[in-house]
Amino acid sequence: MLNTFIVGGGRAGLGLHWPVLRKLRALPDGSGPWSPDPPVVWDVQDIREQALTEGLVPADSLAHAAELADPATTVVHLCTPPADRFATLQQLADLGYTRIVVEKPMADDIAGLEAIDMLARVRGLRLRVVSPWLASSLTRELAELTRYGGLGELRSMSFTQFKPRWTRTLRSNNHTTAFDVELPHSLGVALRLAGDARISDAALTDMRIGDRVIHGMGGARLTLQHDNGATTEIASDLTSPIRERRVGLRFDTGHVVGHYPISDVDHHASLTVHDDAGGGAATPRILFDDALTSYIDHAYREYRAVDAGGAGDAGASGSVEDMDDYAIARRVVQLLQEARLLAAAQSARADSSAPARPPLTGVSPALQGGADHEG
């Protein structure tokens, strides 16, 4: 039986992971790997009152948590910002924790990624990187369409990830650019469906509210060229007034449109397959898609299977076929660093070639005697 230790009491830890864990632990069938011991939580801030309200045991420190939740039988959920990740992983390893589910992205850059890789190898850490879209029912259906080729070869993919993120961006600097917010989800799916790729284009936009500018947090755009010849376009807008998580796949003889759930409020996705040979018309299918719950349940069951001397059940029916979330997460970190560098280089070139603009020191002569604002 496995207990839980949540490191980080913010949106990811208490807002996403804990509700899923609480739901799984309450299932009546008794087949889960859940220890009857109460889960433990720790955060750098004082969250004692909130933890007790949630039914969690608050720890005063990581060392105190190791006294409350035995490292030999506990899964850690590391839900802190990626900038602090290596140091926290090192402390957890020193305390004897080895089963660790890491919130995405795994690291800020390739140097951080390589440091974590080395630590995992030397200390025997069994890391998983949170990848709910890889466990998604919609992703599974897309993978089946791609694998069995009923519409021919996959030629291109597009992802649209729109949501308003004003408040969280203004309140926190946990993410350095818009590449780090939504794109790890879609980029992982693109790699899963079409294999490895290189970045051919990347761009960032700023978030602007009043006189304040948050550089690189307005939106992101990415183009991938896959080794198999397919292309992927990903667009994310964090200033959008609407929420949308849309995926489109173009095949030789048809196309597919899917919509992932937009939040944890409703766990349903939609999928529409247009077969050109059949006239192109299709009826959308609605899929139950509680992806984070599927992902966490699968992670715990695989930890338990390996503990028992098995190889896990990654290829079992109904599980997350062909999913190596750690390998995909590593590649996502590498590609996103390349995207940041390319976006910065292209932005610098654009700035250097743009004509100088006069300072806005007064009203344009063309507007004198007329409007008193810039049109």
Side-chain angles (χ1 to χ4, degrees):
M1 297 291 106
L2 296 171
N3 198 2
T4 295
F5 171 29
I6 300 173
V7 179
R11 163 68 175 162
L14 293 187
L16 296 175
H17 288 235
W18 173 234
V20 166
L21 288 160
R22 182 169 52 198
K23 175 171 58 180
L24 288 169
R25 290 168 64 90
L27 292 175
D29 62 5
S31 66
W34 316 105
S35 166
D37 297 328
V40 176
V41 64
W42 174 79
D43 193 274
V44 292
Q45 301 182 36
D46 183 5
I47 60 168
R48 175 174 296 274
E49 184 175 340
Q50 182 183 5
L52 292 172
T53 301
E54 294 283 349
L56 297 164
V57 177
D60 298 328
S61 64
L62 291 176
H64 182 217
E67 298 174 7
L68 300 170
D70 183 0
T73 56
T74 296
V75 176
V76 178
H77 291 245
L78 184 50
C79 302
T80 56
D84 306 326
R85 193 143 291 159
F86 176 78
T88 307
L89 278 170
Q90 197 165 35
Q91 293 177 67
L92 291 167
D94 290 342
L95 292 166
Y97 290 107
T98 58
R99 305 175 199 84
I100 305 174
V101 176
V102 182
E103 185 54 57
K104 59 85 182 168
M106 183 162 62
D108 276 334
D109 52 32
I110 294 175
L113 174 67
E114 291 176 346
I116 290 173
D117 270 350
M118 178 64 73
L119 180 67
R121 286 195 298 270
V122 172
R123 305 302 293 273
L125 304 183
R126 297 156 61 186
L127 302 181
R128 302 287 301 259
V129 182
V130 176
S131 310
W133 281 28
L134 294 183
S136 159
S137 300
L138 177 56
T139 300
R140 186 176 296 117
E141 292 287 338
L142 298 176
E144 293 295 302
L145 286 166
T146 303
R147 175 180 294 138
Y148 294 113
L151 298 175
E153 293 294 321
L154 176 64
R155 298 304 178 186
S156 66
M157 288 183 283
S158 63
F159 293 86
T160 301
Q161 295 169 282
F162 290 173
K163 70 176 183 180
R165 199 182 183 273
W166 300 96
T167 301
R168 290 181 63 198
T169 301
L170 293 168
R171 192 171 55 202
S172 168
N173 61 354
N174 286 348
H175 293 292
T176 55
T177 71
F179 284 129
D180 307 308
V181 180
E182 289 286 314
L183 270 72
H185 294 301
S186 52
L187 185 49
V189 172
L191 294 174
R192 162 78 188 281
L193 297 180
D196 200 15
R198 60 178 179 82
I199 305 291
S200 60
D201 194 19
L204 287 168
T205 58
D206 299 333
M207 179 178 283
R208 300 174 181 272
I209 181 166
D211 295 330
R212 186 168 179 185
V213 179
I214 302 94
H215 294 290
M217 283 300 297
R221 180 176 51 78
L222 194 63
T223 303
L224 297 170
Q225 184 68 51
H226 293 272
D227 293 349
N228 67 359
T231 58
T232 295
E233 298 274 351
I234 305 175
S236 174
D237 183 358
L238 303 181
T239 67
S240 172
I242 63 170
R243 287 176 172 266
E244 183 179 32
R245 286 174 161 176
R246 180 186 186 277
V247 57
L249 274 61
R250 169 64 66 178
F251 296 88
D252 288 329
T253 62
H255 67 281
V256 175
V257 176
H259 288 86
Y260 287 93
I262 59 172
S263 73
D264 56 340
V265 174
D266 196 321
H267 301 299
H268 290 84
S270 68
L271 173 66
T272 306
V273 179
H274 300 267
D275 185 347
D276 293 345
T283 302
R285 291 171 52 203
I286 303 301
L287 310 171
F288 181 73
D289 202 356
D290 190 355
L292 184 57
T293 299
S294 297
Y295 177 83
I296 290 178
D297 183 51
H298 175 82
Y300 272 73
R301 291 178 184 276
E302 189 155 274
Y303 278 135
R304 185 176 66 172
V306 173
D307 290 343
D313 60 349
S317 176
S319 67
V320 192
E321 299 92 343
D322 302 335
M323 185 186 72
D324 184 342
D325 52 52
Y326 188 80
I328 289 178
R330 290 186 78 264
R331 188 60 179 139
V332 166
V333 171
Q334 294 168 340
L335 288 171
L336 289 181
Q337 175 158 320
E338 293 175 22
R340 291 187 207 98
L341 294 173
L342 179 57
Q346 295 189 155
S347 177
R349 284 197 296 269
D351 290 344
S352 65
S353 62
R357 297 179 62 183
L360 299 175
T361 57
V363 178
S364 167
L367 295 178
Q368 289 177 358
D372 59 357
H373 62 85
E374 292 192 12

